[in-house]
Amino acid sequence: MKTAEIRSRFIDFFVKHQHVDVPSASLLYNDPTLLFVNAGMVPFKPYFLGDEPAPYDRAVSAQKCVRTLDIEEVGKTTRHGTFFQMLGNFSFGDYFKEGAITYAWEFVTGSEEDGCLGFDPETVWVTALHGDQETIDLWQKVGIPRERIQERGLKDNYWHMGVPGPGGPCSEIYIDRGPGFGADGGPEADEDRFLEIWNLVFQQEELSAVRAKDDFDVARQLPSRNIDTGAGLERIALLKQNVANMYEIDEVYPVIQKAAELSGKRYGDDHTDDIRFRVVADHVRSSLMLMTDGVTPGNEARGYVLRRLLRRVIRSMRLLGVSAPVLLELLPVSRDLMRVSYPDIDAAWPRVAEAAEAEEKSFRRTLQSGTVLFDSAVDDARSEHVTTLPGDQAFRLHDTFGFPIDLTMEMAAEQGLTVDRARFDALMKEQKERARADAKSKKGGAASLEAYRELREAGEVPFLGYTDLDVSTRVRGIVADGVVVDRALDGATVDIVLQETPFYAESGGQDADRGVIRGDGFSLNVIDVQRPVPGLVVHRVEVLGELPVGASVDARVDGIARHGSCQAHTATHIVHAALRELVGPTATQAGSYNKPGYMRFDFSSTHGLSDQLKAEIEGRSNEAIADNFAVTAQEMKLEDAKALGAMAMFGEKYPPIVRMVELAGPWSRELCGGTHVATTAEIGMLNLLSESSIGSGVRRVEALVAADAFSKFAAERALVSTLTDTLRVQPDQLVGRVERLVTQLKDAEKQIARLNAEKLLASSATLVEQAETVGGVRYLGVSTPGVAGGDLRTLVLDLRERLGSGPAVVALIGGSDKPTAVVATNEAARGLGLRAGQLIGLASAALGGKGGGKDDLAQGGGTDPAAAPMALAAVRSALDSRG
């Protein structure tokens, strides 16, 4: 039974039982907690949580999924694959355990003639959560004897996503593959012989925290009891196709065959090579599906996962003896297998092929350069009789040659060695700190961390700025051009370290303080404050006079600017609390920035805010400001702060003792080291400027506060007054009047566009006279400045028709600042092998850009309008060369 047929049978079965067929969502589903869709239920998560009403009571899907946590196990077992397809039937407050179990039993054991899977009932085993007697009774009711029902703990029979969200007890279905695959005794004895094919999850709880598979907190019971099931399509296929593992099913095995053909080796002859073949087959398919859904190789997040998969393919093929490029040999095999179920692969293929080819070229250069260094490190380790490669060597491979650490560890393992990962991580951390110092260096070159570490050895620099804005202290050290010096001369810009400081260093989204540091015979203008290494506050200053180390100084923060920062920072906390109150607890912080008069706040959300909701958030924020809440801060143990519900920045590392800032008790509690106003009324007001998306699952709000907010409101009032005077309407009539004007303008624009199109078509007869015969083909290449978009395509198609039925090619260059090119070929020209998609590439390259399209019509463009003659000549040359 083919994999595609199994998919169809599953969907048809549940559609017959009143389930709505829901197409697979993209692997890049907008969920800020996930890199990729990793389970069939992910697209339905809002319905399970009750965040959105389900548009149907029952659903069925075949969902694309990617999981990479067990990437090292790929190829070694029958159970691990990075890309897989999850069949699922779902109930949203409709049927529950009995319905799910009855449907599953019927589909698994029903006859193939009736559209089911036809498994022998005697080979079916199931599991249930320990103590779930209801589930056990229901399985016995459909016909499974008690001895083939095993109870297991939370680790095996409670399902959740690994992150806060829906969860519940589950019941798994296994098929006994027979004594040839392992010991008897059910899933508890051997999960290779007893292969899990389906998991029935009884969604009934929402988890607020997930620490491990069997360690989580339940926030509440879900609004309704739901069914979420996941059947592994590949696992069912390997059983129905009677093959040894999921890598040998019909949608995967041809890639192994192609890899064997390229390598000259035979699958099945060598265990180690077989693992490599399976890695290739799995990762090729996964990479194809990820790239089809828009992922490109990179060094961050999703892009890094894809890059790792592609590079493991290349590396595995090299270990199989193939040093030539392989991705464009292997990916088309998987494309032809998967396009049956996912036709969009064909449309994405040009982009996929281009990205894969570029990545392989890049990695081949990396391998060629880095392997020499790696081999040398291995030789050194063996000559010294050690089994660990130095972390410094691993870091150099990463820093100089782009070797990911996991690749180095994998290559080392193949040589029987380990890598000093702790040293590697320490060097990576230092590099990130240097990069951070570079980015924060506003003028001149960034000082080296070595100089800062030298100054840090004298002790931590206490921050006194929570209570004092004017501090008498002394200069501990001076850093100029990366070197510790004993003095700075007039006019220099240097970094200085004080014994203690009132200046706030940029962190936690709050901008650095500004101010003045004065001493005997000198004055220092503070233009930036940073923490290049933990515990050290560094002030970037402009020197007036001569500054010696050890000098006594008076450090004074700009009080007006500091108060502005305090207003903005406290407003950030207020907006965060308002979002959580009005949008929900999922609106957690993803970043922030505040400075005098301005704040922005990034938060997790899969949906934008409506105009009404934005108004409510602005109103709730100003209400909190007017309520004059006291803003308090206290230091406490991290676990105590979390127990109180203090919000922490996701991914941020916190010390054992933290500072918790509180507004109105539990309404706003956050871990924060920033400075704040004493009461919210000091903020004055908040004007919410905008809300927008800044990435997958992350939104951003921006606002003005205090005097800046008032100025913005005043400016908007003045604008309304000007418009009402100009349009001679009352303020409440302004929107309607503007809408009418916009409608009139659009109508006029449409009329102008129609007239322009008619004018263009009228000129076609004159343009056709410029056609010439090149290489046996009628060629018309014309530059039409100012004509773009649909008008350009309309004109090129009309000209193609006017050139008659003989071989003809038309190329037009239009646009203005950024030129647009369109190429069209007729049927006779295509019969000679002339393709518009190829010709547009030549024209676009001459224009400094790219293009693409179909054989009959293609479009591109570039950046250099002066190159239009060269673009047209490039097409002409291509025609001439065939003559």
Side-chain angles (χ1 to χ4, degrees):
M1 190 180 295
K2 298 290 187 183
T3 304
E5 182 186 345
I6 297 170
R7 181 191 297 105
S8 296
R9 283 173 176 254
F10 186 89
I11 292 173
D12 291 346
F13 175 87
F14 283 99
V15 168
K16 184 174 67 176
H17 289 90
Q18 292 78 51
H19 289 66
V20 175
D21 180 7
V22 179
S24 174
S26 167
L27 288 166
L28 312 185
Y29 189 76
N30 286 332
D31 187 321
T33 66
L34 300 171
L35 273 182
F36 306 111
V37 169
N38 63 355
M41 58 74 63
V42 170
F44 304 106
K45 180 180 172 183
Y47 310 149
F48 286 131
L49 291 174
D51 295 339
E52 298 177 24
Y56 26 68
D57 294 332
R58 303 180 177 194
V60 59
S61 72
Q63 174 63 47
K64 300 178 290 186
C65 302
V66 165
R67 294 179 189 170
T68 56
L69 290 177
D70 297 323
I71 192 171
E72 303 297 341
E73 298 303 312
V74 170
K76 299 176 183 178
T77 74
T78 62
R79 301 190 304 276
H80 292 94
T82 51
F83 173 83
F84 58 96
Q85 298 160 89
M86 187 68 77
L87 306 174
N89 59 289
F90 306 91
S91 164
F92 308 102
D94 190 7
Y95 62 84
F96 197 51
K97 288 185 180 181
E98 183 169 12
I101 288 171
T102 302
Y103 285 141
W105 178 253
E106 181 182 347
F107 184 67
V108 168
T109 62
S111 70
E112 292 186 8
E113 290 76 12
D114 290 335
C116 299
L117 295 180
F119 283 110
D120 181 354
E122 298 299 318
T123 66
V124 179
W125 289 64
V126 298
T127 62
L129 182 63
H130 185 77
D132 187 355
Q133 191 60 46
E134 179 186 8
T135 296
I136 294 171
D137 292 343
L138 288 169
W139 278 118
Q140 288 183 281
K141 181 178 178 181
V142 299
I144 295 187
R146 183 62 179 83
E147 58 270 20
R148 294 213 305 273
I149 305 173
Q150 294 186 331
E151 297 180 67
R152 307 181 82 173
L154 291 171
K155 187 173 291 187
D156 295 295
N157 277 82
Y158 190 99
W159 191 93
H160 53 72
M161 298 173 62
V163 295
C170 63
S171 180
E172 299 172 318
I173 302 172
Y174 293 78
I175 301 296
D176 182 0
R177 305 170 73 188
F181 290 91
D184 199 359
E188 283 280 82
D190 192 321
E191 290 199 13
D192 282 327
R193 170 175 171 172
F194 297 88
L195 186 67
E196 178 201 342
I197 62 166
W198 203 347
N199 189 10
L200 314 181
V201 181
F202 312 126
Q203 294 276 20
Q204 56 194 51
E205 296 166 331
E206 180 179 355
L207 309 187
S208 59
V210 178
R211 294 169 289 276
K213 188 74 171 69
D214 55 352
D215 182 14
F216 48 81
D217 296 333
V218 177
R220 60 168 180 140
Q221 295 296 305
L222 292 173
S224 63
R225 298 194 305 174
N226 313 300
I227 290 297
D228 155 31
T229 81
L233 178 56
E234 285 79 7
R235 294 190 183 188
I236 296 172
L238 79 87
L239 293 172
K240 296 305 294 181
Q241 294 171 22
N242 196 30
V243 294
N245 54 62
M246 61 186 290
Y247 311 101
E248 298 177 16
I249 64 173
D250 63 306
E251 287 190 348
V252 181
Y253 187 63
V255 179
I256 291 179
Q257 292 177 306
K258 183 64 176 181
E261 175 191 324
L262 294 172
S263 66
K265 296 187 176 184
R266 192 171 66 176
Y267 179 69
D269 284 353
D270 180 86
H271 175 70
T272 301
D273 283 347
D274 287 352
I275 291 176
R276 292 166 182 158
F277 278 124
R278 292 193 286 264
V279 167
V280 168
D282 173 85
H283 288 6
V284 162
R285 186 169 71 146
S286 300
S287 299
L288 171 71
M289 302 308 293
L290 286 171
M291 288 189 286
T292 296
D293 277 3
V295 184
T296 55
N299 292 322
E300 299 287 341
R302 292 165 172 163
Y304 177 75
V305 172
L306 173 59
R307 170 162 286 170
R308 187 180 181 195
L309 292 172
L310 289 170
R311 292 188 171 191
R312 278 172 61 90
V313 170
I314 300 166
R315 171 73 179 152
S316 296
M317 289 299 292
R318 287 176 70 91
L319 293 173
L320 288 167
V322 183
S323 58
V326 295
L327 292 181
L328 293 188
E329 296 283 349
L330 298 169
L331 283 166
V333 178
S334 188
R335 174 199 62 195
D336 294 343
L337 295 167
M338 300 303 295
R339 66 177 11 146
V340 176
S341 300
Y342 305 101
D344 55 329
I345 289 175
D346 284 333
W349 175 250
R351 173 175 50 80
V352 170
E354 182 180 8
E357 183 178 28
E359 179 63 18
E360 182 157 21
K361 286 179 179 178
S362 172
F363 188 49
R364 283 168 63 80
R365 291 192 296 269
T366 293
L367 281 174
Q368 184 176 2
S369 304
T371 300
V372 175
L373 176 61
F374 175 80
D375 291 342
S376 175
V378 171
D379 291 342
D380 290 344
R382 286 178 173 160
S383 65
E384 296 171 9
H385 305 290
V386 297
T387 60
T388 301
L389 289 182
D392 301 72
Q393 293 281 29
F395 178 76
R396 187 180 172 199
L397 279 166
H398 166 84
D399 196 42
T400 305
F401 300 106
F403 265 47
I405 182 60
D406 49 69
L407 174 63
T408 303
M409 295 175 70
E410 186 175 304
M411 292 169 64
E414 290 166 358
Q415 300 294 330
L417 303 171
T418 59
V419 176
D420 184 351
R421 182 63 186 268
R423 174 61 178 162
F424 173 85
D425 290 340
L427 291 169
M428 284 294 295
K429 182 179 179 181
E430 289 181 11
Q431 184 188 60
K432 290 178 180 178
E433 289 175 345
R434 284 194 297 272
R436 191 176 297 117
D438 287 345
K440 291 177 178 178
S441 181
K442 302 296 191 296
K443 293 185 179 180
S448 68
L449 286 180
E450 286 71 20
Y452 294 138
R453 291 194 193 95
E454 180 182 336
L455 295 174
R456 176 64 176 83
E457 290 174 359
E460 184 173 348
V461 176
F463 172 62
L464 308 181
Y466 290 132
T467 56
D468 299 310
L469 299 186
D470 189 349
V471 173
S472 295
T473 182
R474 68 179 184 86
V475 177
R476 180 194 293 182
I478 306 172
V479 178
D481 298 323
V483 178
V484 176
V485 297
D486 61 4
R487 65 186 56 250
L489 301 179
D490 184 63
T493 298
V494 297
D495 291 341
I496 70 165
V497 175
L498 303 177
Q499 194 63 28
E500 54 268 309
T501 183
F503 286 91
Y504 183 82
E506 180 183 354
S507 61
Q510 181 175 328
D511 210 0
D513 279 336
R514 302 293 188 270
V516 177
I517 300 173
R518 292 188 173 90
D520 186 13
F522 61 85
S523 176
L524 313 175
N525 182 29
V526 180
I527 57 176
D528 192 23
V529 190
Q530 300 292 333
R531 293 179 183 268
V533 296
L536 193 74
V537 179
V538 174
H539 312 73
R540 174 144 289 203
V541 300
E542 296 171 335
V543 182
L544 296 175
E546 183 174 335
L547 168 67
V549 168
S552 296
V553 296
D554 177 62
R556 181 171 297 179
V557 175
D558 182 334
I560 295 175
R562 163 66 79 81
H563 189 253
S565 291
C566 292
Q567 291 171 313
H569 201 154
T570 304
T572 304
H573 286 221
I574 288 174
V575 170
H576 188 190
L579 281 164
R580 290 178 58 78
E581 178 181 307
L582 297 171
V583 176
T586 59
T588 54
Q589 182 174 355
S592 66
Y593 175 68
N594 46 77
K595 64 179 181 178
Y598 169 85
M599 60 140 288
R600 70 170 185 242
F601 184 79
D602 302 337
F603 63 100
S604 301
S605 178
T606 57
H607 302 287
L609 303 179
S610 65
D611 289 341
Q612 180 180 346
L613 190 51
K614 283 187 286 187
E616 290 177 4
I617 291 168
E618 182 181 66
R620 182 67 183 96
S621 297
N622 281 303
E623 181 183 313
I625 291 170
D627 284 342
N628 200 24
F629 295 139
V631 182
T632 60
Q634 55 182 314
E635 292 189 346
M636 62 181 65
K637 292 181 179 180
L638 177 60
E639 56 267 28
D640 292 341
K642 288 185 175 180
L644 287 171
M647 299 297 300
M649 182 73 176
F650 178 75
E652 188 77 14
K653 293 183 179 179
Y654 291 95
I657 301 299
V658 295
R659 183 170 182 264
M660 184 182 77
V661 175
E662 183 177 86
L663 290 73
W667 188 70
S668 173
R669 285 178 176 148
E670 297 195 33
L671 302 184
C672 177
T675 63
H676 293 270
V677 292
T679 65
T680 59
E682 292 182 43
I683 298 170
M685 66 174 62
L686 180 142
N687 184 340
L688 188 61
L689 297 176
S690 65
E691 185 270 345
S692 61
S693 170
I694 60 167
S696 177
V698 181
R699 311 291 300 184
R700 169 173 291 173
V701 292
E702 297 180 86
L704 298 177
V705 299
D708 292 76
F710 177 81
S711 296
K712 178 67 174 176
F713 281 127
E716 290 171 347
R717 183 177 62 184
L719 176 61
V720 170
S721 177
T722 300
L723 288 173
T724 55
D725 288 345
T726 301
L727 298 176
R728 301 182 182 278
V729 294
Q730 294 300 313
D732 60 351
Q733 300 171 331
L734 183 60
V735 172
R737 177 65 173 136
V738 171
E739 287 177 345
R740 287 194 299 275
L741 287 173
V742 169
T743 300
Q744 293 169 4
L745 179 60
K746 287 181 178 180
D747 290 343
E749 288 174 343
K750 289 179 181 178
Q751 185 175 1
I752 292 170
R754 185 168 59 253
L755 292 172
N756 284 339
E758 292 172 357
K759 182 179 178 182
L760 281 170
L761 293 176
S763 68
S764 294
T766 303
L767 291 175
V768 167
E769 295 175 0
Q770 301 179 33
E772 57 182 324
T773 300
V774 181
V777 176
R778 292 282 286 167
Y779 172 57
L780 176 59
V782 182
S783 178
T784 57
V787 182
D791 291 340
L792 196 63
R793 289 190 295 273
T794 299
L795 181 58
V796 82
L797 292 174
D798 183 67
L799 291 170
R800 183 180 64 181
E801 292 302 314
R802 289 176 179 270
L803 288 177
S805 60
V809 174
V810 179
L812 299 183
I813 309 295
S816 52
D817 293 339
K818 291 187 176 181
T820 300
V822 178
V823 175
T825 60
N826 64 7
E827 185 175 356
R830 294 192 293 276
L832 297 177
L834 296 172
R835 303 284 183 263
Q838 295 173 346
L839 296 173
I840 195 65
L842 301 173
S844 298
L847 294 170
K850 295 181 179 180
K854 298 181 179 180
D855 292 347
D856 62 331
L857 182 66
Q859 182 171 323
T863 58
D864 184 6
M870 289 185 290
L872 296 173
V875 177
R876 188 186 189 285
S877 179
L879 302 181
D880 192 33
S881 64
R882 63 173 302 279

